[in-house]
Amino acid sequence: MAIGYRDRVTKPDTSAERSPILPTVLHCCTALAATPGRLLRPRRADTTLLANLDVRPVPTASVAVGLTVLAQATISMPTTLVAEGVRSLGATPLMMAAFVVEHPKARFLVDPALCAGVHDRVLPELPFPVSYLVAPNKPVRGLAEALAEYGLAGEQIDFAVPTHLHWDHVSGLVELPSSVELRLPAVEYDWAMGGTHAPVGVARGPLRGRAYDRFELDGPPVLTFPRSKDLFDDGSVVLVDLAGHTPGSLGVLLAVDDGSRVLLVGDAVWTKLQVDLLREKAPMPGKLFDADRDAAFATIHRLHALPEGIELIAGHDYEALAARAAA
Ligand SMILES: [Zn+2]
């Protein structure tokens, strides 16, 4: 009997590509040691960069798209680590989610985030202690289940656009047919798949055996972002450069059919609080997961300087995601 993608529980052995444990533990210790000082004295905003940012008008769109948030899992983290310098002993709830975008010419996913059983199927690919630090609460709603509840099967998805290639944005791929192509900047693919070891936060298993359309962001500046790509050449789905968290991190600017302009920003920030206060993640976890801290902080400046009328949805912002999921 043929085994379909839904039944596939085995995965390639990628253990040889996992980051070695000792350097990862040392990396965690360095990040932890740098954290207390930053909680008291957060990195200051770059006022020169802010003053010199060009702000382009919102691009016109001749078509609108449907946007649906598929909530998949929750996790929480001390607020003072999510946005350094916030004097709080509280915790911020975070969400992991996928997005269905319905354009007249295609139905696609932004961030095919989690599969069912992700704790056993994907997280073991991450080195200790990262696999424990990032594990979401159970139960996790797998992508196939979430799509089915929305009335869709994997075969009805035309392609997927990950905001970046960290495990919690692509693990749902193991529940999609291999025919579902991934569209992403070439620099992101090269960063995640090119080296001997997967970068911290990347699990290569879900990324294997799949077709890729690797592109350059060769379009003009949009809003405060230097480069873009208009996916359908109609202004409805414009990808913008949010490099820093990872080298090819994308923002997805949507003209939504409820009249809103939504910018999905992946993990350029985890919650909007970072944008409002213009704060980095604390060194722990930021030093672990932001590939280029300086570039990531510059990107937060670009998000902070966005004009009115853009609804920013951060990749794990429980409040923003839950509001859209409920809608
Ligand atoms: Zn994430």
Side-chain angles (χ1 to χ4, degrees), residues 5-6 8 70 72 96-99 109-119 121-123 140-147 153-155 157 160 162 164-178 180 182 203 205-208 210:
Y5 69 93
R6 287 178 191 284
R8 197 172 60 205
L70 304 178
Q72 295 200 263
M96 296 171 177
F99 305 87
L109 298 177
V110 174
D111 284 349
L114 300 179
C115 59
V118 71
H119 293 80
R121 297 167 86 182
V122 178
L123 280 173
V140 166
R141 190 164 73 133
L143 183 62
E145 179 189 346
L147 284 172
E155 291 81 359
I157 302 299
H164 62 298
L165 290 181
H166 278 159
W167 71 278
D168 55 317
H169 298 260
V170 295
S171 290
L173 289 171
V174 303
E175 295 182 341
L176 290 179
S178 55
V180 175
L182 240 64
L207 300 169
R208 299 276 192 224
R210 195 152 287 281

Side-chain angles (χ1 to χ4, degrees), residues 49 225 241-245 268 294-304:
L49 172 58
F225 309 107
D241 180 10
L242 301 184
H245 178 60
D294 291 341
F297 197 40
T299 289
I300 298 175
H301 285 66
R302 296 179 187 281
L303 297 172
H304 181 81

Side-chain angles (χ1 to χ4, degrees), residues 20-34 127-130 200 284 287-288:
I21 289 177
L22 185 59
T24 306
V25 170
L26 289 174
H27 198 173
C28 286
C29 292
T30 308
L32 265 178
F128 177 84
V130 175
V200 172
M284 181 67 178
K287 273 178 172 285
L288 219 50

Side-chain angles (χ1 to χ4, degrees), residues 235-257:
S236 65
V237 182
V238 180
L239 309 179
V240 297
D241 180 10
L242 301 184
H245 178 60
T246 65
S249 278
L250 289 175
V252 184
L253 178 64
L254 303 170
V256 181
D257 54 12

Side-chain angles (χ1 to χ4, degrees), residues 56-135:
R56 314 276 170 155
V58 180
T60 53
S62 57
V63 169
V65 298
L67 172 65
T68 302
V69 175
L70 304 178
Q72 295 200 263
T74 61
I75 189 171
S76 71
M77 184 168 288
T79 304
T80 192
L81 299 185
V82 171
E84 65 179 13
V86 174
R87 308 282 169 88
S88 168
L89 296 175
T92 295
L94 301 172
M95 185 184 283
M96 296 171 177
F99 305 87
V100 181
V101 180
E102 311 234 18
H103 183 278
K105 291 181 179 170
R107 178 189 293 120
F108 65 98
L109 298 177
V110 174
D111 284 349
L114 300 179
C115 59
V118 71
H119 293 80
D120 301 318
R121 297 167 86 182
V122 178
L123 280 173
E125 285 192 48
L126 303 182
F128 177 84
V130 175
S131 50
Y132 291 91
L133 294 173
V134 300

